[in-house]
Amino acid sequence: MDSTAQEDAAAEPPAKVTSVAANILGEFFTALEKEESLGEVAPRLRKVVLDDGVFAEPSIRVAIFPDAS
């Protein structure tokens, strides 16, 4: 049994799989970043939705209106 090959495979980080929805949302947030009034909000929304995976209304509201808390 070749344990070196198994160790090499285990050392590699897992590939990040993106879904169709994640690609569409990513394009949406990229388009939002180009809008003059939403340029600052879009990166926060991208983080909450795509990175954190949170779709709850309170989290979205905080991302859009951070000073309201």
Side-chain angles (χ1 to χ4, degrees):
M1 180 175 236
D2 187 14
S3 63
T4 307
Q6 289 176 349
E7 290 174 10
D8 289 341
E12 294 179 19
K16 184 174 181 181
V17 178
T18 57
S19 66
V20 172
N23 286 333
I24 292 170
L25 285 170
E27 290 181 24
F28 173 73
F29 292 127
T30 300
L32 279 182
E33 288 175 359
K34 295 176 184 175
E35 292 295 320
E36 190 174 312
S37 61
L38 298 173
E40 294 178 12
V41 173
R44 291 192 302 260
L45 279 174
R46 179 187 300 268
K47 182 190 176 310
V48 169
V49 173
L50 292 180
D51 296 341
D52 300 343
V54 178
F55 291 91
E57 183 261 340
S59 298
I60 301 293
R61 185 183 314 145
V62 169
I64 295 172
F65 307 108
D67 297 335
S69 324

